[in-house]
Amino acid sequence: MDNSIIKLQAREILDSRGNPTVEVECTLACGVKARASVPSGASTGVHEAVELRDGDPKRFGGKGVKKAVAHVNETIAPQLIGQDARAQAGIDGMMIALDGTPNKAKLGANAILGVSLTVARAAATAADLPLYHYLGGPNAVRLPVPNMNILNGGVHARWQGADFQEFMVAPYGASSFREALEWGSEIYHALRTVLMDKGHRVGVGDEGGFAPEVSSNEEPLELIVQAIEKTGLKPGADVGIAMDPASSAFFEDGNYHLRTEKRTVSAGEMVDYYEKLIKTYPVVLLEDGLAEDDWEGWKILNARLGGIIELVGDDLFVTNVERINRGIREDVANAALIKLNQIGTLTETVAAVRMCKKAGWGAFVSHRSGETVDSFIADMTVALDTGHLKSGAPARGERVEKYNQLMRIEEELGDAACYAGKEAYVRAVRF
């Protein structure tokens, strides 16, 4: 079978927020066609690879991606025609070299990633293998714990609720992925009832979670515990809580400004606050507890809490092996968030996961707030055996498609499938 690329075609489509993004189709000589689309973040780190936007105020408020589309069709495609789609690392390397910048600013990470993902999917289809099996081999059988963002704050709630951006439930006590998803959905609907009973609004944020106006960053934890208990499940034993404060968004001049609580605190005082919350609530994972360049603060955070829960760096590491390697050397965390579009190619993403695993760290796969119905990260999570991922609330089609794909994978694996459970978290022994 001839797996050589004969056509790459990019186009501008809309993401879940109604903003343009890039979609790329790949055609192989054997007749196989595949398609992939690129997500976009609202809460983005300054060290992420560049998402190329047109900047034309007459189109989509400047957010058009015609330039990135043109880079695929006019620059990248001519260089990759004739290449074997199975040579993923070589193809990704060619695009990185063609761009020639350290952050993919010339061609755009959104252009490069669209090609990288569609080529991988085309190669899997040509091999007549599910994507997770093609990427991960025969040992790709572990289903992840879904961390569902059921209560939003920060930029995801337009700063009308909590300062902390995401409050997630992690149903790690379930016996299967399907049961975990069932529990998460039940908790989500129970939370809606809890909020309504307390007079809160139940509008949702970008990732499907409710966005109530709360009086503190602790109140969402209280509400979620009540929702878990309302379903008959046990907080801590059956279901844990994960938090993503996205603290870079409220970090300024060396301090953390908690608008909801009308106070400003230092990094050490933030760590004190997190320690109090962790002792009171079944928090199993804390992502971006401190700002993206507050390396000294992160050292304090990890020294105090790294032996208790999973501490995930997102904006701090941006799926970049150089930054993750620094984090390992300086002992500032024990896990990294994994986002394909932060770095821009599948090959570099795989390298980031492998580095985490080699160090004994967790690798926490994530969607973005601006998503599409592409379920690539669901297959990738199983393929790379990361054990946990977040894809938003169990609501909104672009979120649940990832969860639905994981149920399909679990069904396809049959008796070979296993559920990660508490072992997905590097410090899960706490519960």
Side-chain angles (χ1 to χ4, degrees):
M1 181 179 288
D2 190 347
N3 292 288
S4 58
I5 299 169
I6 62 170
K7 184 179 180 181
L8 286 167
Q9 178 70 46
R11 64 179 61 89
E12 187 180 64
I13 64 169
L14 295 184
D15 69 14
S16 61
R17 292 198 301 258
N19 294 326
T21 191
V22 178
E23 178 180 85
V24 185
E25 286 188 355
C26 176
T27 305
L28 305 184
C30 61
V32 162
K33 290 186 177 182
R35 183 167 58 217
S37 52
V38 180
S40 173
S43 175
T44 56
V46 298
H47 303 291
E48 293 191 24
V50 172
E51 178 186 67
L52 189 63
R53 298 282 180 178
D54 298 340
D56 179 0
K58 296 179 180 179
R59 293 189 71 250
F60 294 106
K63 294 183 178 181
V65 291
K66 281 189 172 181
K67 290 179 181 177
V69 167
H71 286 325
V72 174
N73 295 337
E74 299 170 14
T75 304
I76 296 174
Q79 296 297 316
L80 296 188
I81 298 302
Q83 295 295 316
D84 191 325
R86 295 171 296 185
Q88 186 75 44
I91 287 170
D92 288 347
M94 288 177 67
M95 290 191 287
I96 291 169
L98 191 62
D99 177 86
T101 70
N103 59 355
K104 302 177 178 65
K106 180 180 177 182
L107 299 178
N110 43 348
I112 292 171
L113 181 61
V115 174
S116 182
L117 300 188
T118 192
V119 166
R121 184 169 274 143
T125 303
D128 195 26
L129 290 172
L131 182 59
Y132 70 90
H133 193 179
Y134 174 77
L135 296 175
N139 293 322
V141 296
R142 193 166 71 135
L143 278 296
V145 178
N147 288 243
M148 304 180 198
N149 180 10
I150 63 172
L151 200 151
N152 292 183
V155 67
H156 289 175
R158 310 294 191 272
W159 292 102
Q160 295 181 16
D163 298 299
F164 294 178
Q165 184 171 278
E166 300 176 22
F167 295 85
M168 298 165 271
V169 286
Y172 47 59
S175 60
S176 66
F177 180 84
R178 178 174 289 274
E179 184 175 53
L181 191 58
E182 178 183 326
W183 287 5
S185 178
E186 290 172 347
I187 295 167
Y188 178 74
H189 290 288
L191 178 60
R192 185 176 189 274
T193 300
V194 168
L195 291 171
M196 291 179 67
D197 287 346
K198 293 180 179 295
H200 287 295
R201 297 175 183 175
V202 289
V204 300
D206 286 344
E207 298 181 0
F210 301 113
E213 293 187 24
V214 293
S215 60
S216 71
N217 294 298
E218 183 173 356
E219 186 179 350
L221 297 171
E222 297 173 354
L223 294 167
I224 289 172
V225 166
Q226 290 174 36
I228 294 170
E229 292 174 338
K230 192 175 183 66
T231 66
L233 296 167
K234 296 180 180 179
D238 298 320
V239 184
I241 297 176
M243 292 194 302
D244 173 14
S247 57
S248 294
F250 52 85
F251 178 75
E252 186 178 356
D253 299 327
N255 288 305
Y256 296 85
H257 301 266
L258 301 177
R259 173 193 52 81
T260 303
E261 300 171 11
K262 297 181 175 61
R263 61 193 181 105
T264 298
V265 300
S266 66
E269 289 168 329
M270 277 300 298
V271 174
D272 291 340
Y273 187 32
Y274 292 139
E275 186 171 34
K276 173 198 169 189
L277 296 179
I278 289 163
K279 287 180 177 179
T280 308
Y281 304 96
V283 177
V284 70
L285 180 152
L286 175 65
E287 174 191 331
D288 271 2
L290 296 174
E292 58 201 343
D293 286 316
D294 189 4
W295 289 87
E296 292 305 311
W298 274 90
K299 290 178 184 178
I300 298 169
L301 179 66
N302 195 41
R304 290 267 296 279
L305 304 179
I308 302 173
I309 62 169
E310 182 165 314
L311 294 177
V312 182
D314 175 15
D315 294 344
L316 183 71
F317 298 136
V318 294
T319 318
N320 185 304
V321 292
E322 293 182 4
R323 293 184 69 85
I324 294 172
N325 189 43
R326 178 181 173 183
I328 293 168
R329 291 197 318 268
E330 297 186 17
D331 196 25
V332 300
N334 56 37
L337 203 69
I338 303 297
K339 293 175 177 174
L340 284 157
N341 79 320
Q342 279 185 329
I343 193 63
T345 68
L346 176 59
T347 299
E348 291 167 294
T349 304
V350 172
V353 173
R354 287 176 175 168
M355 177 172 283
C356 288
K357 289 193 169 190
K358 186 176 180 180
W361 278 27
F364 187 30
V365 174
S366 175
H367 64 153
R368 299 307 298 256
S369 53
E371 264 295 341
T372 74
V373 294
D374 193 321
S375 60
F376 196 100
I377 62 168
D379 285 75
M380 188 184 78
T381 301
V382 177
L384 302 182
D385 191 28
T386 63
H388 51 346
L389 93 162
K390 62 174 183 173
S391 182
R396 299 185 53 150
E398 76 281 358
R399 312 295 155 187
V400 298
E401 180 55 26
K402 280 71 165 173
Y403 298 137
N404 289 341
Q405 175 65 1
L406 286 163
M407 284 198 293
R408 297 182 195 110
I409 292 171
E410 185 174 57
E411 181 181 276
E412 186 172 77
L413 286 169
D415 291 342
C418 62
Y419 180 59
K422 291 183 183 179
E423 292 182 3
Y425 302 88
V426 295
R427 296 294 181 267
V429 291
R430 175 170 178 257
F431 299 115

